Amino acid sequence: MEDYKKHTTKDGSLSLYSLRYKEGFHDMDGALRESINKYLLPAQLEQFSSAEKIVVLDVCMGLGYNTGCILEELLQSDIKIEWHGLEIDKRPLDLGLNEKIFQKIWSPKILHFFNCLNKSGKWTEGFNEGTIHWGDARQKIYEIQDSISFDLILLDPFSPQKCPELWSEEFISLLTERLSFDGRLITYSTAASIRASLKRAGLKIYSIVPSIETPNKWSSGTVAMKKKLEHQFISKSNQFKDLSTREVEHLTTRSSVPYRDPTGKGKSKEIISTRELEQSKSQLTNTSSWRKRWNTAQLQ
Ligand SMILES: C[S@@+](CC[C@H](N)C(=O)[O-])C[C@H]1O[C@@H](n2cnc3c(N)ncnc32)[C@H](O)[C@@H]1O
């Protein structure tokens, strides 16, 4: 396990630091808290209360917090669940399952789900079923039948500068094609490049409202949908909102230049350098002037 360092986050839940990517799996504030605030709450599972079935795709399952939180809720209802996970490394889940502080977070049903995936890659319970597709998400997504569209896509790779291959214009467009009309793609990312790619793929985008524990943040992530939400619905919901002027302007800066991976097999270094070259030739506004303007506006 020399690639990972275990640590306990502020809410007492286990997380990992990847020595390879030089990045943590979660916010230091709390692995579990992050999944609740950035994935479970914006999913607004009550919107599926009258549906017979829900199809969930977890992109980068890792230790499984995002899925764990969502299944804890769904398994208390009558809705039929079809779950798919994409993850390149089997070790994080195995490592979590061997740790007491991880085990005690979850109900027996969720631990059973995790143990099934860990042992055989498959889970069934009554009408519910799940499969983890181990390997590179860019290829493994094709193992999931074309006819299946996802109601929830939980997009949680390492940051775009560390793992650009899973934030590319092409991969985002592929995920968009597989999103159901009423479905939601949810990610912690607020990056202009990602939001711009989501918009170009034809999605409406909303900003996740930061939790009360992080009042200084301007956004906690992005919810993207094919369907346009009614204004009344957005203002009633305190989970996400329309993009602010600051966020809209962010999409007009050089930061909005996308990561490109036309073959679906590009190496991260190549993807980053292609983008840097495109940014250097771009006529778009410098991100530093946008940042300066908004930092000054905040001080006034
Ligand atoms: C930020 S962590 C995910 C955290 C996770 N959602 C959790 O709750 O623990 C990113 C994950 O992406 C996985 N990953 C990196 N490259 C990948 C790829 N090309 N395809 C699939 N998974 C990948 C890593 O192994 C790691 O588990």
Side-chain angles (χ1 to χ4, degrees), residues 21 25-26 60-63 65-66 87-88 135-137 156 166:
Y21 287 92
F25 276 40
H26 303 97
C60 295
M61 182 188 182
L63 285 155
Y65 279 97
N66 302 335
E87 171 57 56
I88 205 163
D136 189 327
D156 195 11
L166 296 188

